[in-house]
Amino acid sequence: MLTLALPFRTWAHDVPAAPKLAALAAATAALFPIDDLAALSAAAAASAALHVSLGPDRRLGAAREALRMLRPFVWVLALVMGWHLATGQTAEGARVCLRLVTAVSLANLVTMTTRLDDLTSVAERLAAPLRPLGVQPRALALAAALAVRFTPVLTLRGAQLSEAWRARARRRPGWRLAAPLCLSALDDAERVAEALRARGGAAPPGRSSSPSPFPQEGGSATSPHRRP
Amino acid sequence: MERKIAMTALFAALTAALGLLPKLSLASGVPITAQTLGVMLAGAVLGARLGALSVLLFLALTALGLPLLAGGRGGLGVFMGPSVGFLLGWPLGAYVTGLVMERLRVGGVFVTATLAAVLGGIVAIYVPGIIGMAAMLDKPLPEAALLALPFIPGDLIKAICTGLVVNAIWRARPEAVASLR
């Protein structure tokens, strides 16, 4: 599935999304001014303890999943630590790395234990004050849903183009796939736009410029589709 | 309106799909991914406003926890790491790329798009990126700039790719390159 959420429930899932995000923001803000190596180690240990406390489900599955999420981050840490070792600032390097690991793992913890819909509803509430700036929450939600839907479609098409290339040539495809992939995305966008217009468009109900064949919320009570 | 929404969404999806393409390694061993190619293309094809919006959408979905970044990364954690400045620079990069495409007329489409991608996709992204890295790693700016240096050759290759791709699109679907209308 296209998500980083844990496949099982833990106590952290029961904490609502908004307080969890606020706690994360507070923890991260508190973390950065700390310079004491012992205090930073304690913070990293606390983050690890939080992960372990997610429960013994499937043999510490949560903690292991968290480590898997941190794996791509390891080479960043190696680069940072290597730089500090080379410039002779070992203690400073340890401080920077501990701070980063703690902040990133806490953020991952929130991501792992919060459902996508809950995060989207917080994001919608946060985006609401932008409405006077011309941001339409409805258009935003539609665009987000389309992007999520089309990511696997375009990924699959990229893989197909790459296979087709390999069937014909010995060399690696490289950038040559970007042009057809981009063109196919443009064509898809045209078709999606047509389909959206055919279904009443993206304008909010009541302000649609084209007459919609579908009964709208709060529409005519005599509509045959409306329940008595 | 529907067309704008669809274009914005599909380019966010394209940026995600490009991140999943297998990555190449330069001779120096620095891995390069095609993800910022998506950022440059969004600006160069959709223009400044929609390009930046589509990159913002991509970042918002990443922050919400979808593993859309190269290597299957995602979630709030990536915005706590040292590369946060580069990520936040992406929408700016797409905007500048689009702006240069819309305003500048030199040579053919390839030259304009490559130049736009260098100014938007490299200059406009590295400035906030290096500042962010200096802040997160507690380093002076020149030292942070030195750490970012190995990635420049890869991004130059991507800028040239952007020029080639936009030129190909311009020849196949001239009406689709909104930034040149």
Side-chain angles (χ1 to χ4, degrees), chain A residues 2-4 21 24 28 32 72-73 75-76 80 83-84 92 96 100 103-104 107-108 110-111 116 119-120 136 139 143-144 146-148 150-151 154-155 172 175 178-179 181-183 185-190 192-193 196-197 201-202, chain B residues 1-3 5-7 9-14 16-18 20 23-24 31 37 41 45 57 61 63-68 71-77 80-82 136-139 143 146-147 151 161 164-165 168-169 172-173 176:
Chain A
L2 193 69
T3 166
L4 297 171
L21 285 168
L24 172 67
T28 311
F32 274 83
F73 187 60
W75 75 265
V76 177
V80 169
W83 176 267
H84 283 93
E92 175 62 19
V96 169
L100 288 176
V104 171
N108 284 345
V110 173
T111 302
L116 188 59
L119 281 175
T120 2
Q136 294 175 23
L146 282 177
V148 169
F150 272 90
T151 298
L154 291 180
T155 305
R172 289 157 55 101
W175 66 272
L181 192 60
C182 195
L183 271 176
L186 282 168
D187 290 348
D188 279 348
E190 295 289 359
V192 166
L196 284 175
R197 270 193 294 271
Chain B
M1 180 66 188
E2 289 82 14
R3 200 169 168 277
I5 293 176
M7 287 289 175
L10 267 286
F11 266 81
L14 180 71
L18 284 173
L20 295 173
K23 54 187 172 197
L24 312 160
L37 181 63
L41 281 174
V45 175
L57 178 63
L61 292 174
L64 290 179
L66 298 177
L68 302 181
R73 286 173 308 141
L76 296 160
M80 304 294 167
M136 295 303 263
L137 301 178
D138 219 359
K139 291 264 149 294
E143 218 169 300
L146 216 56
L147 275 171
F151 295 93
C161 281
L164 291 169
V165 171
I169 294 173
R173 308 259 195 294

